[in-house]
């Protein structure tokens, strides 16, 4: 099975300007496709911006809303799958969501962030209640989490037990927590034997300072590609043969003793 070349778009776009952010996404998709990528991953709430305050209700839209249609056009035009973050409206509730659109423009998966971080998110968003959301692309089982979710090892382990090969984590990682990007993500990939694509915003935005450092970490705990602190598009390989060999050699999942872990719940 061939590798899945994956592009990570590290950018904050233009907060509050959906049309401008779609242009940034379109340009990145063209560059990613030109580099042979089959998947482009953008950061948390990329469609609208993260620090948009009381504009959240105005900019929120359904999973099948105009943003999804625009991203589908981008995916089809460039022949690759696209994951984007956005505020999802469902009736009176708003979720911090991410959606995976396939190369044919079809909606493959939609995930709602389950662990909300800080006062801003807790004020505007409802936490999701589905911990494992997956889709298949080119024979690779893809799972979705968002930012703070990945800092809970239980979430990543749940994906491992459900067969996730590549975990996509659009994020808004801010100063002074860059150790998550630098250290936690490679450890998560190793301890649960999967690839993890962690894709961050960058630079100042409202009261936040995003640290960049987006990365694709492999199941051996090494980083396959890493962005710096600024706007950047980086590309890495998700190799299913290497993943299978790593899982065969690493006994973590096989040696678990779930009967001892009941107290964790």
């Amino acid at each position: 099975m061939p590798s899945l070349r994956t592009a990570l778009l590290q950018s904050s776009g233009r907060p509050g300007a959906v049309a401008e952010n779609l242009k940034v996404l379109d340009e990145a998709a063209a560059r990613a496709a030109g580099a042979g990528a089959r998947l482009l991953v953008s950061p948390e709430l990329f469609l609208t911006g993260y620090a948009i305050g009381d504009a959240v209700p105005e900019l929120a839209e359904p999973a099948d809303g105009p943003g999804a249609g625009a991203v589908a056009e981008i995916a089809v035009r460039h022949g690759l799958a696209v994951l984007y973050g956005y505020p999802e409206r469902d009736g009176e509730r708003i979720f911090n969501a991410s959606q995976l659109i396939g190369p044919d423009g079809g909606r493959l998966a939609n995930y709602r962030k389950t662990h909300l971080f800080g006062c801003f998110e807790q004020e505007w968003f409802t936490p999701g209640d589905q911990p494992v959301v997956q889709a298949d692309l080119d024979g690779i089982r893809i799972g979705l989490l968002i930012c703070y979710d990945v800092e809970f090892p239980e979430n990543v382990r749940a994906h491992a037990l459900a067969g996730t090969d590549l975990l996509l984590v659009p994020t808004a990682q801010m100063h002074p927590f860059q150790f998550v990007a630098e250290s936690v993500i490679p450890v998560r990939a190793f301890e649960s034997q999967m690839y993890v694509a962690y894709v961050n915003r960058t630079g100042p935005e409202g009261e936040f300072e995003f640290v960049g450092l987006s990365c694709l970490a492999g199941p051996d705990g090494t980083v396959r590609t890493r962005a710096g602190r600024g706007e950047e598009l980086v590309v890495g390989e998700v190799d299913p043969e290497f993943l299978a060999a790593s899982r065969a050699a690493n006994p973590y999942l096989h040696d678990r003793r779930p009967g001892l872990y009941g107290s964790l719940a």
Side-chain angles (χ1 to χ4, degrees), residues 27-198:
E27 292 167 359
R31 292 164 56 202
R38 281 283 288 169
L39 171 63
L40 171 65
V41 185
S42 67
E44 182 176 6
L45 294 175
F46 184 74
L47 187 66
T48 59
Y50 183 88
I52 56 176
D54 57 10
V56 170
E58 173 190 348
L59 295 176
E61 63 175 64
D64 59 355
V71 174
E73 292 178 1
I74 292 171
V76 171
R77 181 158 56 248
H78 300 292
L80 78 175
V82 179
L83 180 90
Y84 71 101
Y86 74 108
E88 180 196 352
R89 177 174 292 283
D90 185 356
E92 295 300 312
R93 299 179 301 169
I94 300 174
F95 298 91
N96 182 338
S98 64
Q99 184 154 226
L100 180 64
I101 305 292
D104 63 354
R107 294 168 51 226
L108 299 181
N110 188 72
Y111 171 76
R112 297 166 169 177
K113 189 173 185 177
T114 55
H115 295 70
L116 301 179
F117 178 81
C119 298
F120 165 69
E121 292 188 19
Q122 292 170 12
E123 177 181 1
W124 291 109
F125 299 110
T126 298
D129 58 9
Q130 189 171 355
V132 177
V133 172
Q134 297 171 306
D136 292 315
L137 178 67
D138 295 354
I140 302 292
R141 178 63 57 87
I142 292 175
L144 308 181
L145 290 178
I146 298 175
C147 197
Y148 194 39
D149 291 330
V150 79
E151 298 177 38
F152 295 82
E154 299 90 344
N155 286 336
V156 184
R157 183 52 55 84
H159 270 277
L161 298 176
T164 292
D165 301 316
L166 168 61
L167 186 63
L168 306 183
V169 189
T171 191
Q173 180 65 65
M174 58 199 68
H175 177 81
F177 306 111
Q178 52 265 28
F179 66 89
V180 175
E182 294 169 338
S183 302
V184 173
I185 297 306
V187 169
R188 289 286 177 271
F190 178 73
E191 69 190 5
S192 280
Q193 287 298 291
M194 63 178 65
Y195 285 88
V196 180
Y198 188 76

Side-chain angles (χ1 to χ4, degrees), residues 213-227:
L213 301 175
S214 300
C215 66
L216 176 67
D220 57 351
T222 65
V223 172
R224 299 300 197 269
T225 188
R226 165 89 69 189

